[in-house]
């Protein structure tokens, strides 16, 4: 059986360190706030090459709090790529703004710059750049559009810990970056967790206050906030795992390279492109094929798990019928039934990649290939 994700196997490889960290938090009753949270925030800021990091309860809250902290005009429009997890767009609506979807790029699947440009209006206040599947967005183009139109840039880095645009880590490239430490992410906690990172001290402080009842000191509530904190156990676990992240990320990159090589001659599937300016950290390895469901069934029958990210493009979800954007001529809207995520992560080795590639090659010989949806 080739698993899509194997967190048990990963735990066993770092069991002594993790168990020690958990026991230390319990021994010291450092459950909320305290030295483990502070230490992880410092380590993670340094890892992402930003000055500040504030732990949050999850990645969705992190986006919502980032938007609130930017104090954008009430009801203004925020542009979100059509190919992402619903958390990205949910946070926009929940913080009192209007979601405007734009298309994704047909090669690297991150936000399409041409489509983004076409969606900017006088009511636009911000852009959420989602570094989807671990591939950084074209931040140079996004930042120059933002500067031209006086927009804020939020980086949704939930899938891109350690990702780089032109050699610089994501998170500190726009105004504020948000992270998720959901267990299955590249850096995952043993429960929910999230963070924001930025290089603006006042903004970081506002986020910290919003996530902790509007206070900096106990009972000094300067504004109304909420409770969205990263807890001590998760922070201690994340500090242990952060030490291994570069090694695990390099493994992901090697696996992706092996997939691309192994699938080179298979014309019925298309591998993702990594732009020359990107360090793609391959949270997911997403291929395209016109016979997605058929391939998924074939893999399942051969004991190979796979996933779909995402089966329904955001504008087509029932939750967004009110926006009437499901009919937009987006690549994302017509390509969602072609996407298939192959197993990737530190649980995979060269042999398991070969098994997957051989299975796909065998499958491809039995299908009649039709051309894939074009870029325009
Ligand atoms: C996982 C994810 C989130 C949300 O993170 P949670 O910690 O699960 O709330 C947001 N955006 C993207 C792109 C994600 O993949």
């Amino acid at each position: 059986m080739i698993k899509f994700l194997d967190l048990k196997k990963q735990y066993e490889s770092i069991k002594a360190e993790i168990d020690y960290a958990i026991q230390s938090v319990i021994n010291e009753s450092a459950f909320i706030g305290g030295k483990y949270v502070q230490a992880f925030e410092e380590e993670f800021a340094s890892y992402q090459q930003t000055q500040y990091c504030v732990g949050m309860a999850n990645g969705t809250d992190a986006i919502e709090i980032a938007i609130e902290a930017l104090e954008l005009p009430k009801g203004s429009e925020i542009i979100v790529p059509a190919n992402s997890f619903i958390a990205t767009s949910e946070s926009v609506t929940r913080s009192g703004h209007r979601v405007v979807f734009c298309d994704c790029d047909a090669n690297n699947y991150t936000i399409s710059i041409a489509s983004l440009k076409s969606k900017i209006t006088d009511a636009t206040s911000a852009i959420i750049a989602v570094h989807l599947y671990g591939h950084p967005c074209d931040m140079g183009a996004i930042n120059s559009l933002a500067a031209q139109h006086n927009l804020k840039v939020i980086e949704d880095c939930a899938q891109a810990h350690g990702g780089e645009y032109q050699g610089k880590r994501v998170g500190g490239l726009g105004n504020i970056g948000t992270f998720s430490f959901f267990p299955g992410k590249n850096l995952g906690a043993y429960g929910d967790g999230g963070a924001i990172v930025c290089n603006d001290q006042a903004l970081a402080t506002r986020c910290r206050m919003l996530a902790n009842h509007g206070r900096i000191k106990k009972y000094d509530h300067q504004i109304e906030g909420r409770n969205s904190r990263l807890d001590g156990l998760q922070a201690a676990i994340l500090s242990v795992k952060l030490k291994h992240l570069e090694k695990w990320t390099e493994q992901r990159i090697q696996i992706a390279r092996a997939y691309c090589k192994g699938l080179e001659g298979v014309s019925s599937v298309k591998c993702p492109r990594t732009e020359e300016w990107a360090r793609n950290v391959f949270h997911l390895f997403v291929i395209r094929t016109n016979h997605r469901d058929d391939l998924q069934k074939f893999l399942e029958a051969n004991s190979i798990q796979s996933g779909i990210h995402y089966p329904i493009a955001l504008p087509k979800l029932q939750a967004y019928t009110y926006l009437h954007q499901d009919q937009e001529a987006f690549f994302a809207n017509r390509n969602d039934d072609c996407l298939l995520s192959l197993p990737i992560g530190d649980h995979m080795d060269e042999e398991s990649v070969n098994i997957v590639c051989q299975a796909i090659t065998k499958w491809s010989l039995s299908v009649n290939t039709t051309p894939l949806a074009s870029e325009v």
Side-chain angles (χ1 to χ4, degrees):
M1 167 70 98
I2 297 180
K3 291 187 172 175
F4 188 68
L5 182 70
D6 194 344
L7 295 174
K8 179 87 191 297
K9 184 174 172 184
Q10 185 188 70
Y11 167 62
E12 276 156 6
S13 75
I14 52 172
K15 185 175 185 308
E17 289 172 88
I18 291 282
D19 290 357
Y20 180 79
I22 291 173
Q23 201 54 57
S24 305
V25 175
I26 297 171
N27 285 345
E28 296 163 45
S29 302
F31 299 121
I32 304 292
K35 73 176 194 195
Y36 294 97
V37 175
Q38 195 185 335
F40 174 71
E41 286 177 342
E42 282 166 15
E43 291 156 13
F44 194 65
S46 149
Y47 182 76
Q48 292 300 146
Q49 302 171 345
T50 58
Q51 280 178 278
Y52 306 100
C53 169
V54 182
M56 308 260 152
N58 58 71
T60 310
D61 279 4
I63 306 171
E64 222 176 288
I65 287 168
I67 294 172
E68 285 170 36
L70 286 170
E71 299 178 320
L72 306 167
K74 277 270 165 287
S76 59
E77 296 174 357
I78 300 182
I79 303 175
V80 173
N83 188 21
S84 185
F85 182 56
I86 192 172
T88 314
S89 46
E90 254 175 355
S91 334
V92 170
T93 315
R94 292 195 58 86
S95 54
H97 300 278
R98 214 177 142 71
V99 177
V100 173
F101 289 116
C102 76
D103 205 0
C104 72
D105 183 271
N107 291 302
N108 64 49
Y109 310 121
T110 67
I111 201 163
S112 152
I113 302 304
S115 178
L116 167 61
K117 219 184 251 176
S118 77
K119 295 293 177 186
I120 297 173
T121 70
D122 289 344
T124 311
S125 62
I127 301 162
I128 305 188
V130 184
H131 304 307
L132 198 73
Y133 306 155
H135 192 298
C137 300
D138 186 351
M139 290 306 294
I142 292 169
N143 282 337
S144 74
L145 274 176
Q148 230 173 293
H149 298 274
N150 195 24
L151 310 174
K152 300 290 185 195
V153 177
I154 299 154
E155 296 176 73
D156 179 348
C157 311
Q159 304 188 358
H161 316 72
E164 290 172 13
Y165 171 79
Q166 289 186 345
K168 295 194 188 88
R169 292 267 156 105
V170 298
L173 305 173
N175 294 92
I176 189 163
T178 67
F179 284 86
S180 164
F181 305 120
F182 180 82
K185 306 284 169 155
N186 285 21
L187 179 61
Y190 288 0
D192 277 312
I196 64 97
V197 297
C198 67
N199 293 308
D200 174 337
Q201 188 177 18
L203 187 59
T205 302
R206 214 146 52 235
C207 288
R208 195 177 287 287
M209 290 173 74
L210 285 169
N212 193 19
H213 303 296
R215 67 189 168 192
I216 287 297
K217 288 199 308 271
K218 206 169 188 175
Y219 302 124
D220 178 14
H221 306 277
Q222 298 180 8
I223 52 171
E224 280 185 313
R226 68 164 98 175
N227 177 356
S228 181
R229 299 175 299 231
L230 180 68
D231 66 66
L233 278 171
Q234 302 307 340
I237 289 163
L238 288 166
S239 284
V240 169
K241 291 183 70 171
L242 184 58
K243 293 195 190 77
H244 298 275
L245 186 58
E246 274 304 292
K247 172 186 70 196
W248 290 336
T249 300
E250 283 305 318
Q251 269 175 274
R252 284 178 184 274
I253 294 168
Q254 289 308 320
I255 290 161
R257 206 169 281 154
Y259 270 138
C260 292
K261 200 154 172 286
L263 297 172
E264 225 167 30
V266 185
S267 61
S268 47
V269 307
K270 185 178 186 285
C271 284
R273 182 167 81 193
T274 295
E275 306 296 344
E276 85 280 358
W277 37 259
R279 183 195 192 206
N280 185 349
V281 294
F282 290 100
H283 171 57
L284 296 165
F285 187 85
V286 179
I287 59 168
R288 281 170 61 202
T289 172
N290 275 331
H291 318 275
R292 194 266 314 280
D293 294 343
D294 191 54
L295 175 55
Q296 189 170 39
K297 266 188 227 123
F298 183 89
L299 293 177
E300 186 70 47
N302 284 272
S303 304
I304 298 166
Q305 294 182 335
S306 59
I308 300 174
H309 303 88
Y310 292 91
I312 306 172
L314 294 178
K316 289 158 63 184
L317 290 173
Q318 193 178 342
Y320 291 115
T321 47
Y322 77 96
L323 289 177
H324 306 292
Q325 288 195 55
D326 55 322
Q327 295 304 318
E328 286 270 5
F330 288 161
F331 169 79
N333 278 343
R334 56 177 193 277
N335 186 60
D336 51 6
D337 57 357
C338 296
L339 302 167
L340 187 70
S341 310
L342 301 180
I344 194 163
D346 52 283
H347 66 297
M348 297 280 292
D349 54 19
E350 209 174 310
E351 197 196 323
S352 39
V353 173
N354 285 338
I355 293 170
V356 178
C357 290
Q358 278 161 17
I360 295 173
T361 305
K362 191 173 162 204
W363 166 82
S364 73
L365 300 173
S366 70
V367 293
N368 278 325
T369 320
T370 49
L372 283 156
S374 68
E375 305 179 19
V376 264

